[in-house]
Amino acid sequence: MFKTEYAKKVYEATEAKNAGQDEYLQAVKEVLLSLEPVVEQNPVLQKKGILERIVEPERQLMFRVTWVDDNGNVQVNRGYRIQFNSAIGPYKGGIRFHPSVNISVIKFLGFEQIFKNSLTGLAMGGGKGGSDFDPKGKSDEEIMRFCQAFMTELAKHIGSDTDVPAGDIGVGGREIGYLFGQYKRLQNVFTGVLTGKGLDFGGSLARTEATGYGLCYLTEEMLNCMKNDSFKGKTVVISGSGNVAIYACQKATQLGGKVVAMSDSNGYIYDPNGINLDVVKQLKEVERARICEYVNRVEGAEYHEGCRNIWGIKCDVALPCATQNELDGDAAKKLIANGVIAVAEGANMPSTPEAVEALQAAGVLFAPAKAANAGGVAVSGLEMSQNSMRYDWTFEEVDGKLQGIMKNIFHNIYDAAEKYGVAGDLVAGANIAGFEKVSNAMLAEGIIY
Ligand code: NDP
Ligand code: 2IT
């Protein structure tokens, strides 16, 4: 698979050093394969060990989180923060609370974040954190106590100019509030140390909407530039029903698309009349209920057990917005057989390598996560700017900047693919364009002899 000795050697060494870390190795392999034309044309990258350095986190924190549940029982979870790369700015990236979290998952997310954050054009390095804590079925008090226990250790390692966490799966506005409160209590400073904060204490307008909206802005630009087309009149399928999926549904609908399906980890709903987003929001944002409940409230809708079968629904645009490796080779084949035009990744690494290969080979427009879901962290960057200024922009100002950033990202990745002889391959384009700024900074900042 590898054509250059250098990339191959670095991948094999990474594999040997990180045995069993499947998600992390999957993410590294894709990036190193894309970077082969870049390392071939720039021998200084090998001379200065850039690839060896970029696959090794600057710092990895793993810690015990002890908390007490509502029955008075002591519970222990594992916490993580991977401070992956700070060449272009303070570490920046979300925190995930989900039972599937392990070192491999957090490292793949932190690694991807380096390139994503670079693509936004803002000064943010890459990081990620989380815990194997399962928020499902926990009371509000349990969530609060867990967040406080988690932050009691994390607070020692983060700061508004050092490392700025945010939300991800299982971490939304409620959790960020509790985490922020505990940081402030411990450090006695009110700073922009987290993003995604509530609007009353330093949060940015449009951060809640940013990832889903940004995904649709980039998809619209891709449809427009590569197919002279748009969302208008398109049938759209969106997996997930969390933060990213909900606001992707809202924007896709505003742009003239009809979203006919959404899911959670149990199953999916199909609504031929177009998803009623108010119902989904009520269920997911207010009641924290399961998606199956939708069919009890909306006539004509169907519920099917098993979230993966959502990709069998005929659609023009597919937006995977749930989790990693949720769209595999078989799902890609179904989408292709049903005439899909575009797939854009709202989740991080939702498509398996087999799916990406099949979609690209079939000529389906494919926007990779690093570019397509960068709107969330981009507006996090804008939240940091507003916190530094101690001044807030309006929703329209932030949304306008987000649109500009997403259009820019599309053109940068499109142009990078063309420049390195892989025109139209936006996966390679995103990896290359994201890498260029980070590697330039690493070269400029030197190494200790
Ligand atoms: P949420 O916790 O708000 O929602 C997650 C959604 O995905 C839920 O519907 C959840 O269903 C579903 N899901 C989670 N795990 C699985 C699984 N193993 N199998 C099937 N479905 C699953 O998270 P977000 O919307 O914030 O995040 C979704 C994706 O977007 C993640 O990949 C995240 O990394 C990525 N992302 C998030 C950003 C953000 O700003 N929030 C920014 C960029 C990317 P259930 O409720 O049943 O668990
Ligand atoms: O994957 C991601 O980009 C996020 N979860 C958002 C990170 C952030 O710092 O806003």
Side-chain angles (χ1 to χ4, degrees), residues 21-37:
Q21 296 186 14
D22 295 345
E23 294 85 359
Y24 177 54
L25 292 170
Q26 181 183 335
V28 168
K29 190 178 210 172
E30 183 206 279
V31 169
L32 293 183
L33 282 168
S34 298
L35 293 179
E36 289 201 295

Side-chain angles (χ1 to χ4, degrees), residues 196-208 392:
K197 299 183 291 297
L199 297 177
D200 297 322
F201 53 98
S204 174
L205 286 161
R207 175 61 188 90
T208 305
D392 296 334

Side-chain angles (χ1 to χ4, degrees), residues 96-98 100 108-109 113 116 128 136 167-172 207-208 210-211 239-246 263-266 284 289-290 307 320-324 326 346-350 369 373-377 380:
R96 176 177 294 192
F97 292 165
H98 194 271
S100 63
F108 112 69
L109 290 164
Q113 202 81 42
K116 183 196 304 190
K128 199 84 186 191
K136 278 202 192 83
D168 194 82
I169 291 177
V171 178
R207 175 61 188 90
T208 305
T211 312
S239 64
S241 49
N243 172 264
V244 180
I246 285 174
S263 61
D264 62 20
S265 57
N266 295 110
K284 291 291 171 181
R290 307 308 298 159
C307 53
C321 295
T323 194
Q324 63 271 7
E326 55 163 314
N348 285 306
M349 205 168 76
N373 73 30
V377 76
S380 278

Side-chain angles (χ1 to χ4, degrees), residues 25 39 53 81 107 126 134 141 148 150 164 168 188 241 253 260 381 420-421:
L25 292 170
V39 297
R53 286 154 64 191
R81 186 71 185 169
K107 274 172 70 179
D134 185 359
E141 285 70 29
Q148 291 171 343
F150 184 84
V164 183
D168 194 82
N188 195 29
S241 49
T253 308
V260 296
Y420 282 95

